[in-house]
Amino acid sequence: MDTLDDRWARLSPYATWVGPDDDRPRPAALLFHGCGGLRGHLPKYAQAARTKGWRALIVDSYAPRGWSRQFAMATVCTGLLLRGWERAGDILATIRGVSQRPDVDPSTLLLAGWSHGGWGIMEAMSADRDRIGALGVTDAENVSLEGVKATYLAYPYVGFAALNRMRPWRHCPRTLAVVAARDHLTTVRNAERIHDMVRNCGADVETWVADGTHSFDEPMTAPPMRYDPALGDEAIRRFSALLEDTAVAPAV
């Protein structure tokens, strides 16, 4: 079982930074992919963050583990490996590693997760991190979440395998929850019930029910999932607005 520092040492060589070309401490958006791995839509969100004066980090959870997309589709997407609570260890390690960089303002971080990545973020927000071995790392308690000012949850996985989906959040940042109206992995009612639970901890939660399928913003079609370019553009617009509302980023 990794320490947070060990996990970050494994993840960081495969992470992609996007942002203004300077060394000023800036807010940072940390982007976590879905179960299918890195796809073509995440760089668009990273560029949107750059436009707002933020740094963005696209975190690859598979390459450090030696997993191909095909392997992940057969194991992670089917629930055999890397459940959301284990993915949360990557998220905590990334927060810790990024917060130590001189070109990042650790007091203003945004976590963004798509499907499986959103599941991991929700686990990180709700877990008892003082428990030994929590979230698959030895020292989960050794990272502060105080700098996490917002989360962007794009059709997060909240199906039957997400056993802790109704567990109250312990850290309650501002949240934009994107629900796909035709998501084959959850009903709108189930998703909204969970987001209402998050509101109960005092979080400002905005819900957008997009008239699309799961992964509607990903440039691919794999029925029942279907790419919708217009909805994808709207998702990026709302993501950008969340960044703008979360912090007054320095000019590029």
Side-chain angles (χ1 to χ4, degrees), residues 17 37 42 53 56 63 65 72 92 117 119 130 147 151 157 161 167 172 186 231:
W17 281 98
L42 292 194
R65 292 176 166 89
L92 293 184
W119 179 14
D130 291 329
T151 66
Y157 178 71
R167 184 169 61 191
C172 305
T186 183
L231 281 180

Side-chain angles (χ1 to χ4, degrees), residues 35-47:
C35 75
L38 296 181
R39 307 296 285 162
H41 57 320
L42 292 194
K44 297 179 180 179
Y45 287 89
Q47 288 296 336

Side-chain angles (χ1 to χ4, degrees), residues 30-55:
L30 314 181
L31 280 54
F32 299 91
H33 59 73
C35 75
L38 296 181
R39 307 296 285 162
H41 57 320
L42 292 194
K44 297 179 180 179
Y45 287 89
Q47 288 296 336
R50 183 185 187 281
T51 298
K52 294 297 181 182
W54 287 57
R55 303 198 188 283

Side-chain angles (χ1 to χ4, degrees), residues 11-208:
L11 292 170
S12 59
Y14 299 93
T16 301
W17 281 98
V18 176
D21 187 17
D22 60 33
D23 58 1
R24 295 166 56 187
R26 292 176 179 267
L30 314 181
L31 280 54
F32 299 91
H33 59 73
C35 75
L38 296 181
R39 307 296 285 162
H41 57 320
L42 292 194
K44 297 179 180 179
Y45 287 89
Q47 288 296 336
R50 183 185 187 281
T51 298
K52 294 297 181 182
W54 287 57
R55 303 198 188 283
L57 181 67
I58 303 174
V59 180
D60 185 347
S61 286
Y62 294 162
R65 292 176 166 89
W67 295 353
S68 67
R69 170 172 163 78
Q70 292 72 25
F71 179 83
M73 292 288 288
T75 57
V76 182
C77 292
T78 57
L80 296 176
L81 292 177
L82 201 65
R83 294 292 180 97
W85 66 269
E86 297 170 293
R87 185 78 181 283
D90 288 10
I91 292 164
L92 293 184
T94 301
I95 293 170
R96 180 176 171 85
V98 164
S99 296
Q100 295 172 350
R101 289 176 58 106
D103 60 349
V104 167
D105 175 3
S107 72
T108 309
L109 304 176
L110 177 143
L111 306 180
W114 286 258
S115 191
H116 191 280
W119 179 14
I121 289 171
M122 297 182 80
E123 292 278 354
M125 295 300 101
S126 64
D128 176 5
R129 294 186 293 114
D130 291 329
R131 182 174 53 82
I132 296 174
L135 306 181
V137 292
T138 61
D139 54 348
E141 75 280 5
N142 288 341
V143 59
S144 173
L145 297 179
E146 290 307 307
V148 177
K149 295 299 192 292
T151 66
Y152 177 85
L153 305 176
Y155 38 84
Y157 178 71
V158 289
F160 70 93
L163 301 178
N164 300 318
R165 60 189 178 275
M166 287 300 293
R167 184 169 61 191
W169 285 19
R170 292 167 180 259
H171 180 65
C172 305
R174 180 174 188 164
T175 295
L176 173 55
V178 180
V179 180
R182 290 177 279 125
D183 196 327
H184 65 291
L185 296 177
T186 183
T187 63
V188 172
R189 181 178 180 182
N190 177 56
E192 291 190 326
R193 179 173 64 97
I194 291 163
H195 300 321
D196 282 342
M197 177 274 297
V198 176
R199 287 187 183 92
N200 288 338
C201 80
D204 177 4
V205 180
E206 175 188 353
T207 301
W208 172 41

